[in-house]
Amino acid sequence: PFVGREAELKELRKFFNKKSASLIVVKGRRRIGKSRLVEEFASECEFYQFSGLPPTEKTTAQSQRDEFSRQLSEQTGLPELQSDDWGKLFYLLAEKTQKKKVVLLFDEISWMGGLDPIFLGSLKTWWDQEGCKKANLILILCGSISTWIEKNILQSTGFVGRISLVLHLKPLSIIESVLF
């Protein structure tokens, strides 16, 4: 069962009934429940979750794109495709967000895009040209490396005026921890 985070869920649910696309950022330390909060929020609609690969010596920008493509194929039934272009992958995903309310979660976004200098530009371009025009779309960027999110998304001129909400998750209260 899901415990706590009532205020955060209430805040997120405001966007569920909104008649325009929303770009939301959720940040907080590791293992605090960011992804679980989004899963709970998205339980009433179509939900696609994409997670970046943990950084290792062998993790590359291409391996992140390949993993995104694998997750896209697994969740949507689209054929897996190898691409050196994030934009193509984002547009493929957009095809699956046409009709009903959809929540997209890009989890551990700093892992997903941290090795690729054009990742954020591709995401911003896709959002401007496609994502923001889908009234049924809620895109949530999530991660535990708050400094990366601050520098590359929240303080980036590319995302100024595009972010609908920033949630910074804190630890559960003592009472919520006991219930958990």
Side-chain angles (χ1 to χ4, degrees):
F2 187 77
V3 175
R5 307 283 186 217
E6 310 309 331
E8 292 89 345
L9 277 173
K10 184 178 180 182
E11 195 70 27
L12 286 169
R13 286 187 178 123
K14 291 177 185 175
F15 293 92
F16 195 72
N17 297 320
K18 195 174 151 196
K19 301 283 189 235
S20 60
S22 299
L23 176 58
I24 297 172
V25 174
V26 179
K27 62 182 189 159
R29 69 170 176 76
R30 254 183 225 305
R31 312 300 316 153
I32 203 157
K34 298 176 298 295
S35 304
R36 182 66 183 95
L37 170 67
V38 174
E39 288 170 13
E40 184 68 20
F41 164 65
S43 65
E44 300 172 20
C45 64
E46 196 163 340
F47 177 54
Y48 299 107
Q49 179 175 6
F50 301 90
S51 186
L53 293 169
T56 68
E57 290 178 10
K58 295 184 179 184
T59 305
T60 64
Q62 186 61 53
S63 65
Q64 294 289 2
R65 287 187 296 271
D66 292 344
E67 179 61 16
F68 186 91
S69 178
R70 185 195 66 73
Q71 292 175 31
L72 179 63
S73 174
E74 188 176 284
Q75 293 180 65
T76 66
L78 289 168
E80 199 169 324
L81 129 94
Q82 187 170 18
S83 177
D84 62 354
D85 182 353
W86 277 107
K88 288 179 185 175
L89 295 169
F90 295 150
Y91 280 95
L92 276 175
L93 176 58
E95 290 178 15
K96 293 297 183 177
T97 63
Q98 298 295 336
K99 297 187 173 118
K100 49 189 164 178
K101 188 59 93 176
V102 177
V103 173
L104 300 178
L105 172 60
F106 288 7
D107 202 1
E108 295 301 354
I109 189 150
S110 62
W111 294 354
M112 193 181 293
L115 297 174
D116 191 337
I118 63 166
F119 172 81
L120 288 169
S122 296
L123 179 60
K124 181 247 177 237
T125 299
W126 172 80
W127 179 256
D128 287 352
Q129 293 179 352
E130 187 80 22
C132 73
K133 296 175 184 169
K134 297 178 177 297
N136 61 328
L137 179 63
I138 300 172
L139 172 60
I140 301 178
L141 308 178
C142 184
S144 52
I145 304 177
S146 293
T147 54
W148 190 92
I149 290 173
E150 284 288 334
K151 178 182 175 192
N152 294 285
I153 297 172
L154 299 178
Q155 295 175 4
S156 166
T157 56
F159 289 94
V160 167
R162 291 169 176 82
I163 299 170
S164 306
L165 174 69
V166 177
L167 277 180
H168 187 148
L169 288 192
K170 305 287 185 195
L172 292 172
S173 70
I174 293 173
I175 293 170
E176 291 168 329
S177 296
V178 169
L179 290 172
F180 183 70

